[in-house]
């Protein structure tokens, strides 16, 4: 895993000169295609499907579907690491996730499968918390689990425009910066350029603000909807388009040393229908690199 070590000058150069390729992880849902909560055996089957490509996943809750208790033993059994999510937008949600983590991590073998804990998923982007309010909960989580790496996930532009500066200066250990050319309505032809430029801007600003502080930064989410997904402005859904973005965008980021979580591992057809900011359908049922039955939709190896 690469800590934040790319200099601002290096980020301005394409391709970026780095000493090693980046690491690929996957965002992973906690429900089956029928909407039932995943159990340990289901996560083990997920990990069997992913293990030839990655041994790292991230989640979005620890209490929902009893995620922490179910996924960690599976990770131990299959040799995976997990970034566990905490939802801080309300005190009730935060306390539920915190309690779930305390219970799951009371087992030392489970604790060994935890790569990090993220407090928040685009809380700044949605405006559900201020940076200072989010930092307070990050610090509380770090105090509760002093030996764990604690961070947050948010949209790339919140790490680029100064919104997240209090978090960077406040001592968090991990940043997941989400970047979707698709949700910017980019054409496929411009999608990789837009994506990599967004990462350069976010990583560069964090580097400038962090100075000598040791902060690890990843691309926390990126991806493209496959067949059955919805279009967004000039961004067209489709499995071939997703495969092209993966090769030209994700593989390029990895080759240049960016660490990337792909959104997402498996289709989630049970997700509720949703509407985007443009008032049109914006479902996230068909974003998986794999089908809900764990079959790869396109080659996951990088040709570059």
């Amino acid at each position: 895993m690469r800590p934040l070590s790319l200099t601002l000058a290096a980020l301005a150069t394409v391709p970026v000169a780095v000493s090693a390729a980046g690491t690929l992880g996957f965002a992973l849902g906690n429900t089956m295609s029928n909407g039932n909560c995943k159990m340990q055996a289901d996560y083990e089957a997920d990990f069997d499907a992913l293990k030839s490509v990655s041994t790292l996943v991230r989640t979005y809750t620890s209490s929902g579907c009893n995620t922490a208790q179910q996924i960690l033993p599976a990770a131990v059994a299959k040799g995976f690491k997990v970034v566990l999510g905490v939802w801080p937008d309300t005190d009730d949600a935060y306390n539920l996730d915190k309690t779930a983590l305390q219970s799951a991590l009371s087992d030392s073998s489970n604790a060994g499968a935890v790569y990090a804990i993220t407090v928040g998923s685009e809380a700044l982007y949605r405006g559900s918390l201020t940076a200072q309010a989010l930092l307070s909960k990050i610090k509380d989580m770090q105090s509760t689990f002093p030996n764990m790496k604690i961070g947050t996930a948010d949209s790339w532009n919140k790490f680029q425009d100064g919104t997240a500066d209090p978090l960077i200066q406040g001592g968090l250990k991990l940043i997941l910066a989400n970047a979707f050319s698709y949700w910017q309505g980019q054409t496929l032809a411009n999608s990789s350029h837009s994506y990599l430029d967004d990462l350069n801007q976010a990583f560069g600003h964090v580097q400038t603000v962090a100075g000598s502080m040791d902060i690890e930064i990843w691309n926390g989410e990126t991806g493209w909807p496959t067949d059955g997904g919805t279009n967004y402005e000039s961004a067209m859904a489709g499995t071939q388009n997703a495969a092209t973005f993966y090769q030209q965008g994700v593989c390029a980021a990895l080759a240049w040393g960016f660490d990337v979580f792909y959104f997402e591992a498996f289709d989630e057809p049970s997700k509720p229908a949703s509407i985007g900011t443009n008032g049109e359908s914006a479902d996230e049922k068909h974003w998986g690199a794999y089908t809900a039955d764990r079959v790869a939709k396109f080659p996951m190896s990088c040709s570059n």
Side-chain angles (χ1 to χ4, degrees):
M1 312 299 176
R2 289 180 57 84
L4 177 60
S5 58
L6 304 178
T7 66
L8 192 58
L11 285 167
T13 305
V14 180
V16 175
V18 294
S19 59
T23 298
L24 177 68
F26 285 94
L28 185 62
N30 61 3
T31 59
M32 303 294 290
S33 59
N34 60 6
N36 291 342
C37 292
K38 288 181 180 177
M39 306 300 288
Q40 179 178 338
D42 301 312
Y43 287 115
E44 290 187 14
D46 287 349
F47 295 155
D48 283 339
L50 296 173
K51 65 185 178 182
S52 65
V53 181
S54 175
T55 56
L56 178 69
V57 297
R58 62 167 296 205
T59 71
Y60 296 87
T61 179
S62 293
S63 60
C65 277
N66 206 18
T67 296
Q69 289 281 8
Q70 297 297 329
I71 197 172
L72 290 178
V76 171
K78 297 297 181 176
F80 269 65
K81 294 286 188 179
V82 181
V83 177
L84 291 164
V86 171
W87 199 257
D89 296 38
T90 68
D91 288 342
D92 285 347
Y94 176 79
N95 289 329
L96 282 172
D97 278 342
K98 181 179 176 180
T99 299
L101 285 172
Q102 289 172 317
S103 176
L105 297 181
S106 63
D107 184 331
S108 60
S109 62
N110 282 347
V114 178
Y115 183 75
I117 298 169
T118 52
V119 181
S121 179
E122 299 189 343
L124 300 182
Y125 176 76
R126 292 191 307 276
S128 53
L129 290 174
T130 66
Q132 291 294 349
L134 179 56
L135 180 60
S136 176
K137 290 185 174 178
I138 291 171
K139 287 185 173 181
D140 176 72
M141 192 63 62
Q142 189 70 76
S143 176
T144 304
F145 302 104
N147 297 321
M148 292 288 177
K149 188 183 304 179
I150 310 295
T152 194
D154 221 296
S155 178
W156 71 273
N157 57 316
K158 297 305 172 183
F159 296 111
Q160 179 271 336
D161 66 9
T163 303
D165 284 4
L167 304 180
I168 300 168
Q169 296 162 339
L172 83 171
K173 300 301 183 184
L174 175 69
I175 286 172
L176 303 185
N178 301 344
F180 286 93
S181 293
Y182 170 85
W183 287 122
Q184 294 184 39
Q186 297 287 339
T187 63
L188 183 64
N190 195 51
S191 61
S192 296
H193 172 80
S194 172
Y195 162 62
L196 293 167
D197 183 61
D198 291 347
L199 292 185
N200 284 341
Q201 290 186 58
F203 278 47
H205 183 81
V206 172
Q207 177 73 75
T208 299
V209 175
S212 61
M213 290 188 293
D214 184 19
I215 302 177
E216 184 176 333
I217 180 168
W218 286 62
N219 173 203
E221 289 179 349
T222 195
W224 200 275
T226 59
D227 292 350
T230 53
N231 301 327
Y232 187 79
E233 298 177 359
S234 296
M236 301 289 109
T239 299
Q240 185 55 55
N241 287 351
T244 298
F245 176 75
Y246 183 85
Q247 285 295 326
Q248 297 181 357
V250 175
C251 288
L254 292 168
W256 295 346
F258 292 107
D259 296 322
V260 178
F261 279 102
Y262 191 81
F263 182 88
E264 57 184 334
F266 306 103
D267 281 348
E268 295 189 83
S270 64
K271 274 188 171 180
S274 58
I275 301 297
T277 56
N278 61 356
E280 299 179 2
S281 176
D283 288 347
E284 291 188 342
K285 300 173 184 285
H286 301 283
W287 281 72
Y290 297 74
T291 68
D293 295 325
R294 306 185 181 97
V295 177
K297 299 180 185 179
F298 49 83
M300 303 302 297
S301 58
C302 291
S303 58
N304 53 4

